[in-house]
Amino acid sequence: MPIEFNQQIIEEFRANGGKVGGPFEGARLLLLTTVGARSGARHTTPLGYLPDGGGRILVIASAGGAPNHPAWYHNLVANPLVTVEDGLFTYEARAVVLEGAERDRVFARAAEANPGWADYQAKTTRVIPVVALAGGGPPKAGSASDTLKRVHDMFRRELSLIREEVTESGTGLGAQLRVNCLTLCQGLNNHHTGEDIAMFPFLADRYPELAPTLERLSREHEKIAALVEELREVISTEGADPPLVLAEVERLTDELERHLDYEERQLIPILDM
């Protein structure tokens, strides 16, 4: 992309919490900052990404099917420690270039979800690299209440994207969409487990009057966990029916939205004290 166009996207992304208009509206988008292989200067590039589970996300060095790898790819090969902005959090990550069968499998998964990747590969003789970005440290956020709200907004955004993807999936559920759903499920499980074993006991000790609220939130965690498990089962079924998956996603969305709204009303004022 032209430098001026990229800069407009970067500024819009940062000003609107990761939301942009134009050709990238509604897409999974991040800002990747690499260190120049020759200059040592920091360079930021907007990129589409794919969830991969296991604490990884994927970016693809397509350069629109150009004959050469993009500059950001050469930078991260020379300096694998990069900075990722996802619109809600900024964090350090380590870049790993996927090789061989793993690269081919992941690229095929991406191309199934978006045939544009296959079109780019067809335009060039080079093998388009796939890069995994694994979080290398805690996200940079503000107060505890700000972090909680950002995590909640992350789940809201991902559920909205998944609902749209399932709606547009046609008669079958692709491999990448399954990964998207399973990554969300694991993320929710990890977040609620962390609250149950760390944040809620801490708040209960400091604010005994919160006991009824925390008990309700814990019960809601159990209900959401059951819905997550039902979604997992549907997704994992051979020939999963998209309308059935969509129904499960909507059930989870409705319950989770009520839970997140209640938790924010009850806990953010306490966390801000």
Side-chain angles (χ1 to χ4, degrees):
M1 293 293 182
I3 294 175
E4 297 81 3
F5 180 79
N6 270 357
Q7 191 57 41
Q8 290 176 3
I9 295 294
I10 291 167
E11 292 173 0
E12 185 179 3
F13 185 97
R14 288 173 171 164
N16 297 300
K19 296 178 182 177
V20 299
F24 299 118
E25 184 174 3
R28 284 187 175 82
L29 193 69
L30 58 78
L31 302 183
L32 179 70
T33 298
T34 58
V35 176
R38 296 181 180 177
S39 68
R42 290 170 63 82
H43 299 277
T44 300
T45 307
L47 294 172
Y49 73 91
L50 300 168
D52 192 44
R56 302 195 321 179
I57 57 176
L58 305 170
V59 291
I60 299 177
S62 68
N68 299 315
H69 297 323
W72 62 261
Y73 173 76
H74 293 293
N75 290 347
L76 65 76
V77 168
N79 300 290
L81 188 61
V82 300
T83 301
V84 177
E85 299 171 62
D86 64 11
L88 297 172
F89 292 107
T90 299
Y91 58 94
E92 302 302 314
R94 182 163 294 277
V96 178
V97 178
L98 304 187
E99 303 286 354
E102 183 182 18
R103 178 267 170 205
D104 294 345
R105 181 175 65 253
V106 170
F107 188 85
R109 198 176 78 199
E112 178 190 31
N114 182 352
W117 298 119
D119 293 339
Y120 292 148
Q121 182 62 83
K123 289 171 61 177
T124 183
T125 56
R126 67 186 173 92
V127 176
I128 292 178
V130 179
V131 181
L133 304 176
K140 300 172 185 176
S143 64
S145 62
D146 178 58
T147 300
L148 182 68
K149 183 64 165 60
R150 286 171 181 260
V151 170
H152 287 183
D153 285 346
M154 176 183 67
F155 288 127
R156 291 183 174 109
R157 183 176 68 182
E158 189 62 21
L159 272 168
S160 177
L161 287 169
I162 287 174
R163 289 171 75 182
E164 182 176 349
E165 290 165 350
V166 175
T167 300
E168 296 176 353
S169 64
T171 59
L173 203 66
Q176 182 60 48
L177 182 49
R178 292 174 190 264
V179 171
N180 298 350
C181 292
L182 292 171
T183 300
L184 169 74
C185 290
Q186 188 58 54
L188 273 172
N189 179 68
N190 292 345
H191 174 59
H192 286 167
T193 298
E195 288 189 328
D196 288 336
I197 67 176
M199 187 172 79
F200 289 179
F202 171 79
L203 292 174
D205 183 61
R206 293 196 64 178
Y207 305 100
E209 67 275 15
L210 278 179
T213 296
L214 298 175
E215 289 171 3
R216 171 176 166 173
L217 291 171
S218 293
R219 290 196 302 271
E220 291 177 355
H221 283 182
E222 294 176 359
K223 186 172 184 180
I224 291 168
L227 292 174
V228 164
E229 187 56 35
E230 290 174 15
L231 177 58
R232 276 200 186 106
E233 290 179 3
V234 171
I235 293 167
S236 301
T237 301
E238 185 70 26
D241 182 29
L244 181 57
V245 174
L246 181 60
E248 293 297 331
V249 170
E250 289 178 340
R251 287 177 64 205
L252 175 60
T253 298
D254 291 343
E255 187 64 33
L256 186 64
E257 283 284 6
R258 286 193 292 270
H259 170 75
L260 299 180
D261 289 345
Y262 176 74
E263 183 170 335
E264 289 167 5
R265 290 196 306 272
Q266 299 300 315
L267 297 190
I268 283 180
I270 298 296
L271 296 172
D272 280 337
M273 292 174 61

